[in-house]
Amino acid sequence: MERGGVPAKGEAPIRTQTSRARAQPEGANGARARTAAPNPDRPWAGGRPRAAPSTRPDAPATYSPPHPPAMCRFLLYQGPTIRLSSLITEPAHSLIHQSVHSKEREEPLNGDGFGLAWYAPRLESRPALFRSVTPAWNDANLNELARVVESPCVLAHVRAATQVRSVNQANCHPFTHGPYAFMHNGDVGGFHRLRRTLISELSDEAFAAIQGGTDSEHAFALLLEHLPVSDATLDQMVAGMRSTIRRLLALIERVTPGEPSYLNFALSNGSTSVVTRFTSHPGYEGESLYLHRGRRYVCEEGMCRMIEPDEHGSAVIVSSERLSEDPGWESVPPNHLVMLDGQGGAQLEPIFAQSAAAPAGSWAIAAPLRRG
């Protein structure tokens, strides 16, 4: 396959998530025709259900997803310094493999761009960033970079565009600001109708951090309102994440009730990290998320596995899909967060004490942190 998506002679073209959507035939009303017949026993596609109607009197009577289901894949690594290739290209189910053959999505392609953020703490606190609209499986620069760069903290993401279909570099994850790196798998319910209201609640600094048009980057801007400018403790990052999800749910209930959200967020400052698995849809577990902790992750001669920790300590990996067949991968429970303490430890906690089915307005919304 040549660069730019032009197939070499004898090769079949690899179509991205977006190009595949364009190739679908249009119905009489201009809508893209679905290729599979509805299944009455499975009233959703791509693992994502239709939302239950809101109980508010002014809410729409029914809800249909406004866009075809599509979800991204991501991973976060924190531990002893590791080559990026050990996460991105070498494992049997590496992130590049997930970008073409995702095991836990009906649509296996994630071809609407990719990105990496990694930390070099001996040089500076801000993360390095590499993003591209090229599908991850077809980017020679990614392979060259991954084999020579090492880091103790890596965030990697392959994108399948959801509400914002535009494929450009500004819309690729991760997003960074100061010492923070952030990425998202899922979507913010009703974002197109919610966007103006959300922006009106941002400070000038948080608004200026937005460079693209995705719901994910707007959610990151809202999260920045709850984090100090210079750096944050793990407790501050956890509190900020919880407050951000509360505010998003409250805005959705006020502006576009009945819309479900899928909020698998990952936030790091290079020392500590927080990852969430969350959905506001009752009866649905949300997008997949796995955790491996307490061991060391190595790739040797093309084989990647978990081994006993040595004097360098153990690692924590949080990933949309398992990277290996090793025992020890845990499925993160729905509506929980993972807290990585930077010392090789990871703890699970419910995001909220209440059920995700509780009305958004019943969650107390913390005031934004005074940044400075």
Side-chain angles (χ1 to χ4, degrees):
M1 177 71 70
E2 296 177 7
R3 294 294 304 279
V6 180
K9 185 177 180 180
E11 287 188 329
I14 297 177
R15 292 191 292 180
T16 67
Q17 190 81 29
T18 303
S19 63
R20 174 170 290 191
R22 291 196 198 104
Q24 293 177 353
E26 293 190 358
N29 62 353
R32 298 291 176 185
R34 299 195 63 83
T35 56
N39 183 346
D41 298 320
R42 194 168 181 270
W44 62 83
R48 294 178 56 205
R50 298 177 185 272
S54 172
T55 56
R56 286 178 47 157
D58 58 342
T62 59
Y63 168 76
S64 295
H67 50 80
M71 287 291 163
C72 310
R73 304 283 84 180
F74 71 47
L75 68 84
L76 186 151
Y77 170 91
Q78 195 167 315
T81 297
I82 193 172
R83 282 193 306 166
L84 301 189
S85 60
S86 297
L87 302 168
I88 309 304
T89 61
E90 294 182 40
H93 197 48
S94 67
L95 199 65
I96 279 190
H97 188 86
Q98 292 178 38
S99 72
V100 186
H101 300 294
S102 173
K103 292 181 178 179
E104 305 207 24
R105 294 179 57 239
E106 283 194 355
E107 169 53 69
L109 289 180
N110 295 268
D112 294 327
F114 71 90
L116 304 170
W118 69 94
Y119 288 83
R122 289 180 296 178
L123 300 177
E124 61 173 88
S125 62
R126 291 185 304 159
L129 183 65
F130 175 57
R131 301 184 295 182
S132 175
V133 298
T134 308
W137 65 78
N138 196 37
D139 193 289
N141 291 329
L142 174 60
N143 283 288
E144 290 299 307
L145 186 73
R147 69 182 179 85
V148 296
V149 173
E150 295 181 324
S151 175
C153 183
V154 181
L155 292 82
H157 186 281
V158 289
R159 183 175 182 238
T162 56
Q163 298 194 56
V164 178
R165 293 286 183 179
S166 175
V167 179
N168 60 59
Q169 187 170 299
N171 286 341
C172 293
H173 306 223
F175 307 102
T176 63
H177 188 76
Y180 304 112
F182 173 87
M183 56 189 178
H184 173 207
N185 172 24
D187 58 26
V188 175
F191 173 67
H192 286 295
R193 294 188 292 278
L194 184 72
R195 183 171 178 266
R196 285 189 64 181
T197 304
L198 191 159
I199 287 174
S200 71
E201 300 210 355
L202 298 176
S203 66
D204 290 343
E205 181 186 357
F207 175 72
I210 300 173
Q211 302 297 313
T214 63
D215 55 336
S216 306
E217 192 177 17
H218 285 70
F220 181 37
L222 192 64
L223 176 56
L224 290 174
E225 300 277 34
H226 295 273
L227 298 172
V229 171
S230 56
D231 209 343
T233 65
L234 180 58
D235 286 345
Q236 287 175 317
M237 291 168 65
V238 170
M241 189 71 83
R242 285 176 165 144
S243 294
T244 298
I245 294 176
R246 287 190 187 101
R247 291 183 72 185
L248 285 172
L249 295 176
L251 285 170
I252 292 166
E253 184 67 12
R254 172 156 54 96
V255 177
T256 176
E259 297 270 8
S261 288
Y262 308 87
L263 307 178
N264 286 19
F265 289 155
L267 171 71
S268 183
N269 63 6
S271 300
T272 57
S273 305
V274 182
V275 188
T276 65
R277 183 187 184 190
F278 181 85
T279 178
S280 60
H281 190 285
Y284 176 56
E285 292 189 345
E287 300 305 307
S288 60
L289 191 68
Y290 293 91
L291 164 68
H292 205 294
R293 52 184 166 173
R295 294 175 70 82
R296 190 162 64 93
Y297 181 69
V298 297
C299 288
E300 298 171 335
E301 298 181 354
M303 297 295 294
C304 299
R305 64 190 188 279
M306 307 293 184
I307 64 174
E308 289 296 323
D310 58 11
E311 68 275 9
H312 300 294
S314 60
V316 179
I317 301 175
V318 186
S319 181
S320 298
E321 301 185 15
R322 292 174 285 250
L323 297 186
S324 69
E325 298 302 322
D326 293 277
W329 286 101
E330 310 168 49
S331 177
V332 175
N335 299 344
H336 277 63
L337 55 79
V338 187
M339 300 174 291
L340 287 69
D341 62 16
Q343 304 299 317
Q347 300 296 323
L348 289 162
E349 279 189 7
I351 296 175
F352 304 117
Q354 297 163 289
S355 165
S362 67
W363 288 316
I365 301 174
L369 184 69
R370 184 177 297 277
R371 294 173 59 76

